[in-house]
Amino acid sequence: MSNLPARLSELIGKPVHDIDTPALVIDMDALKRNLVRMADFAKKHHVRWRPHAKLHKSTVLAKMQIKAGAAGVCVQKTAEAEVMVAGGIYNVYISNQVIAPAKLARVAALTQAVASHRGGQIAIAVDSPEGVSRLAKAMTEARTSARSSVATVIDVFVEIDVGQGRCGAQPGEAAVKLALEIRKHPALRFAGLQAYQGKAQHLRSAIERRMAAASATKAVELTCQLLKAHGIAPGLVTGAGTGSFALEAASGVYGELQAGSFMFMDVDYAQNERDPAQPQFEHALFVKTQVISTHASHAVCDAGHKSHAIDSGMPKVHAFEKKSGLDYFNGGDEHGILRPVDGSDRLPALGQLLWLIPGHCDPTVNLHDVMIGVSGGLRNGTVDRIIQVDARGAMT
């Protein structure tokens, strides 16, 4: 942590009240409980767990996840993969399409870089014949120019569209053709199917999520059957997120869960009707803020939209009791407007410290250089670590 500002390093061991505002704070006790619950779930259901590091963008937290039982991490960007590998995370799956030759050359270089590490492996998703061809070219060129006698191979997952309507080949024959194409190239190894249903994660009712997951499972089963008919082992089926992972685990076809947001639990996910089969997770990520102005009808805090993302709605004021009595409203870049909820006239005092639960964790983290880890709770805890957001801005 030698490259951290002195004021941050000096916080370690200090009371939580000494954290300046606005700041992104992790309740480390809640985070660890969330990790244990997910690890226990995966073990009980005999599935692998590979969380998305795009959530936290931190090699420290990635290592905590792996220590808890994760098989490795997922990322969405080549630059995120590079940060993870540089930080000592050697099992990384880029669960996204990479098409640009310059980026593919970086992917191939990463594959070479992790080859000497025990269990080191880079994996990537494809959804088009051109994507396979470009990846094969980059890998072949890297193998040709490498000084190592070991011929590196990259694991390749065929992404199928199981309802997200974003990337992905059509389930069935189109996916089989891609698997056959992958098998033509010595530097590529067909590893299985990427089958992530992103829209299902945010369907509020449990029954809606069950229906979406059932539809995705049918698409996976069809594709697996056709792969077998062509003499190809379907390999690993990977997917699932915090909103639906219990359903994928119960499907009998998914072998790996990519859920990641459960570790922090934002407002959006907390609004879902909980599936009884899924563990109960706690909020662990907060924006600490302070009231800087008071008025008859409202108060103003110093955490505006530069402190938290609003794509999934406004943050929620954390309540140590059952209800906070406050709602957060748009105040612009640097300010938040706090108003009493209906039926209440309670407003915070000037200088009062408050805790906000972000609407969406991932882009909120990307707004900050560091996360401040607190042990012992938000009321009376102490700062025990400063966690750098290593992959902040890693967009390429």
Side-chain angles (χ1 to χ4, degrees):
M1 294 190 297
S2 59
N3 57 339
L4 290 175
R7 64 179 178 81
L8 288 175
S9 298
E10 291 169 2
L11 271 177
I12 296 176
K14 297 289 182 65
V16 65
H17 307 291
D18 287 3
I19 300 171
D20 201 0
T21 60
L24 194 60
V25 177
I26 300 174
D27 181 338
M28 296 303 298
D29 300 328
L31 180 144
K32 290 173 184 176
R33 289 190 292 268
N34 287 343
L35 284 178
V36 168
R37 289 166 187 152
M38 175 56 82
D40 287 348
F41 177 90
K43 185 176 181 181
K44 178 181 177 181
H45 291 83
H46 307 288
V47 290
R48 299 194 340 168
W49 162 47
R50 180 186 292 274
H52 266 289
K54 71 181 179 69
L55 167 75
H56 51 71
K57 290 177 169 278
S58 160
T59 56
V60 168
L61 293 183
K63 288 176 181 177
M64 283 185 65
Q65 292 172 320
I66 292 169
K67 186 176 181 180
V73 297
C74 294
V75 297
Q76 288 282 273
K77 300 290 187 176
T78 304
E80 287 178 335
E82 289 169 330
V83 170
M84 290 295 122
V85 171
I89 311 300
Y90 302 124
N91 198 313
V92 181
Y93 171 36
I94 304 171
S95 56
N96 198 3
Q97 309 307 309
V98 180
I99 291 297
K103 286 190 180 73
L104 288 169
R106 289 159 55 193
V107 171
L110 282 176
T111 308
Q112 296 279 348
V114 304
S116 60
H117 296 276
R118 183 178 179 182
Q121 186 63 49
I122 300 296
I124 195 168
V126 298
D127 72 352
S128 67
E130 180 68 15
V132 174
S133 175
R134 293 186 180 199
L135 175 62
K137 183 176 185 294
M139 284 296 300
T140 301
E141 289 175 351
R143 289 174 72 170
T144 301
S145 61
R147 296 178 181 178
S148 172
S149 60
V150 179
T152 56
V153 175
I154 189 167
D155 282 341
V156 185
F157 287 86
V158 171
E159 180 169 8
I160 57 174
D161 184 358
V162 291
Q164 174 71 14
R166 194 167 58 189
C167 296
Q170 287 301 300
E173 289 291 352
V176 172
K177 288 179 181 178
L178 287 177
L180 290 168
E181 188 63 29
I182 290 166
R183 284 158 58 97
K184 294 177 182 178
H185 303 281
L188 311 185
R189 176 168 51 218
F190 173 66
L193 300 176
Q194 160 80 8
Y196 176 70
Q197 220 296 34
K199 289 182 179 178
Q201 310 312 311
H202 308 286
L203 295 172
R204 295 303 176 213
S205 74
I207 191 166
E208 286 179 300
R209 296 196 301 277
R210 288 191 199 107
M211 292 172 63
S215 175
T217 297
K218 286 182 180 179
V220 172
E221 288 175 331
L222 167 66
T223 307
C224 288
Q225 289 169 2
L226 290 174
L227 284 167
K228 291 175 183 176
H230 284 79
I232 304 172
L236 179 69
V237 177
T238 180
T242 293
S244 68
F245 70 84
L247 302 170
E248 281 90 352
S251 70
V253 298
Y254 282 80
E256 184 176 83
L257 309 177
Q258 296 176 3
S261 294
F262 75 89
M263 191 169 76
F264 287 160
M265 278 303 287
D266 52 32
V267 170
D268 186 78
Y269 269 119
Q271 290 174 344
N272 283 357
E273 177 190 0
R274 180 171 166 261
D275 188 322
Q278 193 158 307
Q280 181 76 56
F281 298 114
E282 307 170 50
H283 293 299
L285 187 75
F286 302 86
V287 175
K288 184 186 178 187
T289 186
Q290 185 173 38
V291 175
I292 59 173
S293 181
T294 57
H295 305 271
S297 62
H298 67 279
V300 182
C301 67
D302 62 359
H305 302 330
K306 288 182 180 177
S307 302
H308 54 82
I310 61 171
D311 60 301
S312 294
M314 298 299 143
K316 182 178 179 182
V317 181
H318 177 58
F320 289 101
E321 294 81 26
K322 288 189 177 180
K323 293 183 180 179
S324 71
L326 295 169
D327 282 334
Y328 181 102
F329 293 88
N330 184 348
D333 292 349
E334 312 294 352
H335 305 87
I337 308 299
L338 303 165
R339 294 194 177 99
V341 298
D342 292 342
S344 170
D345 58 359
R346 174 183 166 190
L347 280 169
L350 190 69
Q352 184 171 334
L353 299 174
L354 298 170
W355 300 89
L356 305 178
I357 305 166
H360 189 183
C361 289
D362 304 40
T364 294
V365 170
N366 196 53
L367 294 170
H368 294 261
D369 291 325
V370 300
M371 297 172 281
I372 301 173
V374 170
S375 293
L378 300 182
R379 272 179 161 164
N380 301 304
T382 57
V383 176
D384 75 359
R385 68 189 75 192
I386 307 297
I387 300 169
Q388 289 185 289
V389 184
D390 305 299
R392 182 187 182 189
M395 303 298 184
T396 62

